[in-house]
Amino acid sequence: MGQRLTEPVITDLMARALADPAMLSLAAGFTDNTQLPKSLVGQAVAGLTAPESDPETLQYGTNAGRTGLREAVCRIVSRHEGEDASRITPEQVFLAQGSQQALYLSMQVLCEPGDIILVEEPTYFVFMEMLQGLGLEARSIPYSPDTGIDFGKLEQLFLEMQSTGEWARVRAVYIEGYFSNPSSRSQPASAKSGLANFLRERNAILPIIEDAAYRDLYFEKPWSAMSTLSMPEFDGFPVLYLGTFDKPFASGLKSGFGICNHQEWRDNMLFAKGHQDFGSSNFVQALIERVVSTDAYDAHVAAVRAHYQGKAFQVQAILEAEGLADVGWQWEPPSGGLYFWLKGPEGFDTSIGSDFCEACLANKVLYVPGDLCLAGGQPRNCVRLSYGVLLGAKLDEAVRRFVRTATAG
Amino acid sequence: MGQRLTEPVITDLMARALADPAMLSLAAGFTDNTQLPKSLVGQAVAGLTAPESDPETLQYGTNAGRTGLREAVCRIVSRHEGEDASRITPEQVFLAQGSQQALYLSMQVLCEPGDIILVEEPTYFVFMEMLQGLGLEARSIPYSPDTGIDFGKLEQLFLEMQSTGEWARVRAVYIEGYFSNPSSRSQPASAKSGLANFLRERNAILPIIEDAAYRDLYFEKPWSAMSTLSMPEFDGFPVLYLGTFDKPFASGLKSGFGICNHQEWRDNMLFAKGHQDFGSSNFVQALIERVVSTDAYDAHVAAVRAHYQGKAFQVQAILEAEGLADVGWQWEPPSGGLYFWLKGPEGFDTSIGSDFCEACLANKVLYVPGDLCLAGGQPRNCVRLSYGVLLGAKLDEAVRRFVRTATAG
């Protein structure tokens, strides 16, 4: 509590994009307006508001959300290969204002100012802003390109944090197992089980938050690793799995969910939610419940996947054709999600106010500086590009502007 | 932050009502399902999802909410007699998950645990639960049946709180100016201006939160007093006015708003909202924006008013016919809102676990114990009855069960 004076960076970036019509934004994590399910939503609401329908959908619902939708959430998550449906039950599910609210609630009830959360390297920058607003700190779990997590460096971090007393202030671990924002990386099963073993060996049975917002936005195939909810290695760990209907369906509905296998943690989140809003929109939940009960939902998500895959190919083609690699930039093409994570040459600076950032603004293209996604604010030579919003020639042009700015120096 | 282990009482009451189909609930502040605007919502969504419509309504919106709806909110509030439209501008407005979220945000950014909020006697019990969850305390502004506020007793309270050091911890004043939950009382203009003068004379230019959730649910005529936003006596006071579309339109949409004339307070609430959900459902806002732009909205609210007025008459008739006054109970019939506030005989106990409460449960009728609505938990002989949900013979029967339980002793 108390005054929070940090303006979220995302708000500022969105405002800049809106203020200048010539600006092309590769920054915002918005989805593509052409893929929004107007007719599915229209049909669902027509059903909900038909003369013979029960008006209860326009009445207050419950704090945790509609039973039918909580059951549907379990079906949607459990059908991923490897998931253990017996561990994913409707009582564990609660609906929220996007998965963002569930994430906020999780932090509110676990942490006191000064506490520390372990995050990936890089991690979701809006989460880091939230931590800052709540007076919390983040530390990066060291990344390894080969194994997902560099356990040698993690051991070093652990020893350092233990010696400074910081380890005792670690309250939770936040990972994005599937097509992460911003890196589009997924965690190998071995990295997740390794993490569980690492923590257990150090008697650190910490709450695990697995944010799976982009899990359904895979391209060729789903990511193979099961979630931490189902992995036996995480037995005994409190796990909160976060999902959303915003990214695969309609961000304008602002509906997400948490699945939490730890009753006290879940109860506390729901008590706090009871104070914040005593339940998310019952009508929005009823609408989604109706849509996900049909095959049309799966067909819609499949089409969305193919669409983003096409746009990712398009971005990759321009990055290659324009010669970004020739000036020392590195990246892996995504296999799902909405983002490219690019690493500039050693010592290059992409942060807000840097020459490169100013040059991109002058050339009318926006990106998210990578340092915002890194718990230590280092290195400063990375960039997140989103292909969510822009289409066709505008997407081409935006990526071209970016690469030409990068290659001009 | 930290653990919150209080289960909201409203959750428990709702659960009891749902669990026993024979239980008739005069407890929940739900609205009447027969008055929910199915066809208006259906038409609005048909327009939003028509082939030629812009799909942006299904995309993320902004943190503060849609410009068109913020403008409409200003029109809806400003058209009340006496309001000063020049003081009520779209930049001051933000949309929220019901006015509840705006209220929560206001407390989060103003207060630290141990702080004190001045509230009415009685006040909104869900707000008191929220305060408890945030580690805050409430003190009642003494009520006067003649003048709304008993300024003599308020002076005593001030002196007491000053002597104990508590006055320095008062962070805000929360009032419900119009057809309050739970009392259905409205504040006379003289009470509000008197409060402003009282505070100003004591150099206490405290933030004022005026919750106007029931303002549009008047029966014969709107309540005459303008809001604290427009009253010159409140010049210099930070004011947050809260309104909602839940009560007059559809609680299932879960949409409310704040209007805040103090930039720093408003900015801080929006920063916190940026972390909680970075904006309420854009689609729900677009839907409401479309509805309120038509005359049909006003016609709907007018019909809702007439409906609740009829139900209030119905409850009053049964309270009288069954002889509740004969056994020493007192009340004023409401002239708006959703509630009767009844005062039992001196020494009577209506609290949870009391003989009377248990007898009502045995007789299958639920009410809200009045002590939950009183900052000091005293007196314990009051009751809130809601005529929101029940209809016709069931409403009759519920009130009859209540009165017969009260008169049986």
Side-chain angles (χ1 to χ4, degrees):
Chain A
M1 295 207 294
Q3 305 290 308
R4 283 176 197 75
L5 293 165
T6 352
E7 171 136 29
V9 176
I10 197 169
T11 311
D12 185 51
L13 285 170
M14 286 177 184
R16 283 192 185 204
L18 287 169
D20 182 351
M23 187 74 76
L24 293 178
S25 176
L26 295 166
F30 282 36
T31 54
D32 188 326
N33 277 9
T34 64
Q35 300 305 300
L36 292 167
K38 270 204 311 187
S39 76
L40 288 181
V41 168
Q43 288 161 33
V45 172
L48 293 177
T49 59
E52 70 282 5
S53 68
D54 187 337
E56 62 83 18
T57 62
L58 287 168
Q59 183 59 269
Y60 284 133
T62 62
N63 193 34
R66 292 177 75 82
T67 304
L69 186 54
R70 293 160 74 191
E71 290 166 353
V73 160
C74 292
R75 286 197 300 276
I76 288 170
V77 175
S78 296
R79 68 188 179 184
H80 281 285
E81 199 183 328
E83 295 293 352
D84 180 350
S86 72
R87 290 171 179 246
I88 301 171
T89 62
E91 307 74 53
Q92 299 174 339
V93 178
F94 61 97
L95 277 296
Q97 273 301 97
S99 52
Q100 179 81 11
Q101 188 194 23
L103 188 53
Y104 189 86
L105 292 168
S106 77
M107 290 294 100
Q108 263 195 311
V109 304
L110 284 179
C111 301
E112 297 289 341
D115 285 346
I116 296 171
I117 308 298
L118 300 182
V119 300
E120 289 174 332
E121 179 188 24
T123 189
Y124 176 39
F125 72 96
V126 178
F127 180 58
M128 292 225 290
E129 290 177 345
M130 180 202 294
L131 293 182
Q132 197 183 12
L134 292 169
L136 307 176
E137 297 170 31
R139 295 284 183 282
S140 285
I141 300 170
Y143 169 68
S144 155
D146 303 318
T147 56
I149 293 175
D150 185 327
F151 285 99
K153 286 192 185 165
L154 181 58
E155 172 70 15
Q156 281 174 33
L157 178 73
F158 166 73
L159 293 172
E160 278 169 33
M161 291 180 74
Q162 217 182 25
S163 73
T164 59
E166 288 183 320
W167 185 256
R169 288 159 46 207
V170 174
R171 284 292 164 274
V173 180
Y174 173 74
I175 61 171
E176 298 174 85
Y178 306 90
F179 314 111
S180 148
N181 174 1
S183 74
S184 286
R185 291 175 195 144
S186 302
Q187 285 288 4
S190 57
K192 292 201 273 194
S193 58
L195 181 64
N197 295 336
F198 179 92
L199 294 171
R200 195 186 298 278
E201 284 161 13
R202 282 149 194 85
N203 274 321
I205 308 299
L206 292 167
I208 307 293
I209 301 164
E210 182 163 32
D211 189 338
Y214 298 89
R215 186 175 191 180
D216 291 326
L217 293 188
Y218 56 84
F219 296 160
E220 292 295 326
K221 54 180 192 297
W223 180 250
S224 57
M226 70 182 88
S227 74
T228 48
L229 282 173
S230 291
M231 290 177 72
E233 290 85 350
F234 283 95
D235 276 351
F237 284 82
V239 173
L240 172 65
Y241 176 98
L242 301 177
T244 186
F245 297 104
D246 286 357
K247 302 296 182 185
F249 190 62
S251 53
L253 296 177
K254 208 60 182 282
S255 185
F257 55 86
I259 309 176
C260 183
N261 66 10
H262 187 276
Q263 186 176 346
E264 187 186 344
W265 187 14
R266 186 171 72 238
D267 285 350
N268 283 334
M269 288 189 279
L270 284 170
F271 295 153
K273 183 168 169 65
H275 298 149
Q276 272 175 29
D277 59 25
F278 55 83
S280 296
S281 167
N282 188 36
F283 186 72
V284 165
Q285 291 176 47
L287 188 171
I288 295 172
E289 182 180 325
R290 207 171 167 102
V291 173
V292 297
S293 70
T294 68
D295 292 341
Y297 177 75
D298 292 342
H300 171 77
V301 181
V304 166
R305 272 177 210 131
H307 181 79
Y308 287 126
Q309 181 173 18
K311 296 214 287 185
F313 282 173
Q314 186 183 341
V315 172
Q316 172 70 14
I318 296 183
L319 293 175
E320 285 177 355
E322 295 282 332
L324 187 64
D326 302 342
V327 291
W329 287 68
Q330 297 174 313
W331 69 94
E332 284 171 73
S335 55
L338 290 179
Y339 309 102
F340 276 76
W341 178 249
L342 308 172
K343 189 171 179 181
E346 198 76 25
F348 199 88
D349 188 353
T350 65
S351 62
I352 287 178
S354 66
D355 291 348
F356 178 70
C357 187
E358 291 300 317
C360 282
L361 290 174
N363 292 334
K364 306 286 185 199
V365 60
L366 275 179
Y367 64 86
V368 172
D371 60 303
L372 299 176
C373 310
L374 290 158
Q378 294 290 340
R380 297 169 85 86
N381 60 340
C382 296
V383 157
R384 187 193 83 171
L385 298 186
S386 169
Y387 44 90
V389 176
L390 296 176
L391 265 181
K394 280 198 174 172
L395 180 58
D396 282 357
E397 174 60 19
V399 178
R400 208 173 282 126
R401 286 181 192 176
F402 177 84
V403 180
R404 290 186 181 175
T405 311
T407 55
Chain B
M1 294 205 293
Q3 306 289 308
R4 283 177 198 75
L5 293 164
T6 352
E7 170 136 32
V9 176
I10 197 169
T11 311
D12 185 51
L13 285 169
M14 287 176 185
R16 284 192 184 204
L18 288 169
D20 181 352
M23 187 75 76
L24 293 177
S25 176
L26 295 165
F30 281 36
T31 54
D32 187 328
N33 277 10
T34 65
Q35 300 304 300
L36 292 168
K38 270 206 310 188
S39 77
L40 289 181
V41 168
Q43 288 162 33
V45 172
L48 294 177
T49 58
E52 70 282 7
S53 68
D54 186 338
E56 62 84 16
T57 62
L58 287 168
Q59 183 59 269
Y60 284 135
T62 62
N63 192 33
R66 292 176 74 83
T67 305
L69 186 53
R70 293 161 75 191
E71 290 166 352
V73 161
C74 291
R75 286 195 302 276
I76 288 170
V77 175
S78 296
R79 69 190 179 184
H80 281 286
E81 200 184 328
E83 295 293 352
D84 180 349
S86 71
R87 290 171 178 247
I88 301 170
T89 62
E91 307 75 52
Q92 299 174 339
V93 178
F94 62 97
L95 277 295
Q97 274 300 96
S99 51
Q100 179 81 11
Q101 188 194 22
L103 188 54
Y104 189 86
L105 291 168
S106 77
M107 291 294 99
Q108 263 194 310
V109 304
L110 285 179
C111 302
E112 296 289 341
D115 286 346
I116 295 170
I117 308 298
L118 299 182
V119 300
E120 288 174 332
E121 181 188 24
T123 189
Y124 176 40
F125 72 96
V126 178
F127 179 57
M128 292 224 290
E129 288 176 347
M130 180 202 297
L131 294 181
Q132 197 183 11
L134 292 169
L136 307 176
E137 296 171 32
R139 294 285 183 283
S140 287
I141 300 169
Y143 169 68
S144 155
D146 303 319
T147 56
I149 293 175
D150 186 328
F151 286 100
K153 285 192 185 163
L154 183 57
E155 172 68 16
Q156 281 174 34
L157 178 72
F158 165 74
L159 292 172
E160 279 170 33
M161 290 179 74
Q162 218 183 24
S163 73
T164 58
E166 288 183 320
W167 185 257
R169 287 159 47 206
V170 175
R171 284 292 165 273
V173 179
Y174 173 74
I175 61 172
E176 297 175 85
Y178 306 92
F179 314 111
S180 148
N181 175 1
S183 74
S184 287
R185 291 174 195 144
S186 301
Q187 283 289 5
S190 58
K192 292 202 271 195
S193 58
L195 181 62
N197 295 335
F198 179 92
L199 294 171
R200 196 186 297 279
E201 284 161 14
R202 282 150 194 85
N203 275 320
I205 307 299
L206 292 167
I208 307 293
I209 301 163
E210 182 163 34
D211 188 338
Y214 298 89
R215 187 175 190 179
D216 292 325
L217 292 187
Y218 56 84
F219 297 159
E220 291 295 325
K221 55 180 192 298
W223 180 249
S224 56
M226 70 183 87
S227 74
T228 48
L229 283 173
S230 291
M231 290 176 72
E233 290 85 350
F234 283 94
D235 277 351
F237 284 82
V239 173
L240 171 65
Y241 176 98
L242 301 177
T244 185
F245 296 105
D246 285 356
K247 302 296 182 184
F249 191 61
S251 53
L253 296 176
K254 210 57 182 283
S255 185
F257 54 86
I259 309 177
C260 183
N261 66 10
H262 188 276
Q263 187 176 344
E264 187 185 344
W265 188 13
R266 186 172 72 240
D267 284 351
N268 283 333
M269 288 189 280
L270 284 169
F271 294 154
K273 184 169 168 62
H275 298 149
Q276 272 175 30
D277 58 25
F278 55 82
S280 297
S281 167
N282 189 36
F283 186 73
V284 166
Q285 291 177 45
L287 187 172
I288 295 172
E289 183 180 324
R290 206 170 167 103
V291 173
V292 297
S293 70
T294 68
D295 292 340
Y297 178 74
D298 293 341
H300 171 78
V301 181
V304 167
R305 271 176 210 131
H307 181 79
Y308 288 125
Q309 181 173 20
K311 296 212 289 185
F313 282 174
Q314 186 183 344
V315 172
Q316 173 69 14
I318 296 182
L319 293 174
E320 286 177 356
E322 295 283 332
L324 187 64
D326 303 340
V327 291
W329 287 67
Q330 297 175 313
W331 68 94
E332 285 172 72
S335 55
L338 290 179
Y339 309 102
F340 276 76
W341 178 249
L342 308 171
K343 189 171 178 180
E346 197 76 26
F348 199 88
D349 188 353
T350 65
S351 62
I352 288 177
S354 66
D355 290 348
F356 178 70
C357 188
E358 291 300 317
C360 281
L361 290 174
N363 292 334
K364 305 287 184 197
V365 60
L366 275 178
Y367 64 85
V368 173
D371 60 303
L372 299 176
C373 310
L374 290 156
Q378 294 290 340
R380 298 169 85 85
N381 60 341
C382 296
V383 157
R384 186 193 85 171
L385 297 187
S386 170
Y387 45 90
V389 176
L390 296 176
L391 264 181
K394 280 199 174 171
L395 180 58
D396 283 358
E397 174 61 19
V399 178
R400 208 173 281 125
R401 285 181 192 174
F402 177 83
V403 180
R404 290 185 181 174
T405 312
T407 55

